[in-house]
């Protein structure tokens, strides 16, 4: 059984649990972890794989055999990911250029959702540029979003002034000129999560339909092991940074799905209860077994 997990502690726990359940595990070394998503979604190159929350939504919307195992491997605030070099602020986004690695990148979906919901931005008034396609075959950018020329890099275009804003999380370059477009972004982000009751989750765990059918006991054991690690290492705060279980992930998935639909990231609505039912049916367990 092939596993792709970015966090060493979660990977070690999952590998041990899978082996104890009677299935031989193999942890695939793929870094950064998002590079495993395309092969997992489109070709089932892995059985259990860390994936972005929007990748799960797109995969389901496009009929890929991907199931959600409700474990958060990366939870973080997102308001600080809209950055600029100049004197512009979030109030100036309309009518200016913004670059994002991919239209389907989860960080971008969250940030654009904040722009529309909290700051009244009409996304079609923004000059959007993307640099990569989706991890999911068949998913395309909206017609009003342009793709950068072959070979162009988001970080270079941003630092050299060809973009007014960039949306960047882990890919943010180190440069003293960079500042967040939202003033006091971390405080705003924390307040948003308190108001919503959940963190804007980035990465979760996906399972292939084939693996669920063949290795259900091992997958459930991996879930239990990862849940134990995240429970033991939980960070203090008003909302869990790494929620585990279907109930705990409902808010983040529902909000992300609504944002993704509004932004043309997914072609039709994805119902969270259907995600839960698909996983539970494949693994042969009730939702309560996975924190439902």
């Amino acid at each position: 059984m092939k596993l792709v997990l970015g966090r060493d502690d979660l990977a070690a726990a999952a590998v041990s649990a899978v082996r104890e359940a009677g299935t031989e595990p193999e942890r695939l070394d793929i870094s950064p972890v998002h590079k495993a998503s395309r092969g997992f979604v489109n070709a089932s190159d892995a059985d259990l794989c860390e994936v972005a929350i929007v990748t799960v939504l797109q995969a389901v919307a496009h009929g890929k055999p991907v199931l959600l195992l409700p474990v958060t491997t990366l939870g973080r605030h997102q308001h600080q990911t809209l950055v600029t070099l100049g004197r512009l602020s979030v109030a100036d986004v309309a009518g200016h250029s913004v670059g994002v690695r991919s239209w389907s990148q989860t960080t971008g979906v969250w940030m654009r959702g904040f722009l529309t919901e909290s700051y009244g931005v009409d996304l079609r008034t923004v000059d959007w540029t993307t640099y990569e396609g989706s991890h999911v075959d068949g998913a395309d950018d909206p017609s009003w979003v342009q793709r950068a020329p072959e070979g162009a890099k988001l970080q270079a275009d941003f630092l050299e002034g060809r973009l007014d804003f960039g949306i960047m999380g882990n890919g943010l370059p180190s440069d003293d000129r960079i500042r967040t477009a939202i003033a006091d972004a971390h405080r705003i982000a924390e307040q948003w999560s308190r108001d919503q009751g959940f963190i804007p989750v980035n990465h979760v765990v996906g399972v292939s339909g084939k693996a669920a059918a063949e290795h259900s006991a091992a997958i459930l054991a991996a879930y239990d092991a990862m849940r134990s690690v995240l429970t033991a290492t939980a960070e203090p705060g008003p909302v869990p940074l790494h929620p585990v279980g279907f109930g705990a992930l409902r808010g983040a998935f529902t909000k992300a799905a609504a944002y993704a639909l509004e932004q043309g990231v997914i072609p039709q609505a994805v119902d969270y209860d259907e995600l839960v039912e698909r996983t539970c049916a494949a693994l042969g367990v009730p939702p309560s077994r996975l924190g439902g």
Side-chain angles (χ1 to χ4, degrees):
M1 181 173 155
K2 297 179 179 179
L3 299 85
V4 179
L5 292 163
R7 278 181 55 167
D8 290 339
D9 57 347
L10 292 179
V15 164
S16 177
V18 167
R19 183 174 288 117
E20 290 178 7
T23 298
E24 186 57 33
E26 177 187 1
R27 183 188 181 188
L28 303 181
D29 184 15
I30 300 176
S31 182
V33 72
H34 72 79
K35 289 188 177 295
S37 298
R38 181 176 295 279
F40 166 69
V41 169
N42 301 299
S44 298
D45 287 349
D47 299 300
L48 182 151
C49 185
E50 178 174 339
V51 289
I53 191 171
V54 174
T55 299
V56 174
L57 292 169
Q58 277 197 325
V60 171
H62 287 271
K64 306 295 183 181
V66 171
L67 305 170
L68 168 64
L69 195 66
V71 175
T72 301
T73 56
L74 176 60
R76 69 178 183 207
H77 295 300
Q78 306 281 5
H79 285 73
Q80 75 282 358
T81 61
L82 180 68
V83 294
T84 183
L85 295 175
R87 300 178 63 182
L88 299 174
S89 76
V90 65
D92 303 305
V93 169
H96 287 84
S97 58
V98 183
V100 62
R101 178 176 61 82
S102 168
W103 192 250
S104 61
Q105 183 184 21
T106 296
T107 295
V109 171
W110 282 118
M111 191 63 243
R112 292 191 301 269
F114 304 151
L115 288 175
T116 58
E117 195 169 71
S118 301
Y119 299 96
V121 176
D122 179 349
L123 298 181
R124 290 175 180 260
T125 66
V126 180
D127 180 13
W128 295 100
T129 299
T130 62
Y131 292 76
E132 296 177 14
S134 169
H135 296 308
V136 179
D137 288 349
D140 298 317
D141 293 353
S143 60
W144 41 276
V145 174
Q146 69 174 348
R147 182 65 55 84
E150 187 71 27
K153 302 294 183 183
L154 169 58
Q155 288 80 1
D157 282 353
F158 175 69
L159 291 175
E160 293 168 16
R162 289 184 288 275
L163 295 168
D164 298 313
F165 298 91
I167 297 177
M168 288 177 274
N170 292 339
L172 184 67
S174 177
D175 192 304
D176 291 340
R177 298 173 297 163
I178 298 174
R179 62 184 185 80
T180 58
I182 296 175
D184 208 1
H186 287 282
R187 182 187 64 80
I188 297 295
E190 289 172 357
Q191 186 61 54
W192 185 92
S193 287
R194 282 194 293 269
D195 292 344
Q196 298 289 330
F198 56 83
I199 200 81
V201 169
N202 200 307
H203 288 186
V204 290
V205 176
V207 175
S208 73
K210 183 174 183 290
E214 296 178 355
H215 305 294
S216 60
I219 290 167
L220 292 169
Y223 167 82
D224 291 339
M226 290 186 285
R227 179 187 59 192
S228 295
V229 169
L230 292 173
T231 299
T233 59
E235 303 85 348
V239 295
L241 192 58
H242 293 88
V244 179
F246 283 126
L249 275 166
R250 177 177 293 276
F253 255 93
T254 301
K255 178 67 79 171
Y259 283 168
L261 184 62
E262 292 168 358
Q263 298 168 22
V265 176
I266 53 178
Q268 68 265 344
V270 174
D271 182 76
Y272 187 66
D273 287 321
E274 292 181 8
L275 290 181
V276 174
E277 291 169 7
R278 281 161 48 100
T279 298
C280 292
L283 293 174
V285 297
S288 58
R289 174 64 177 83
L290 296 169

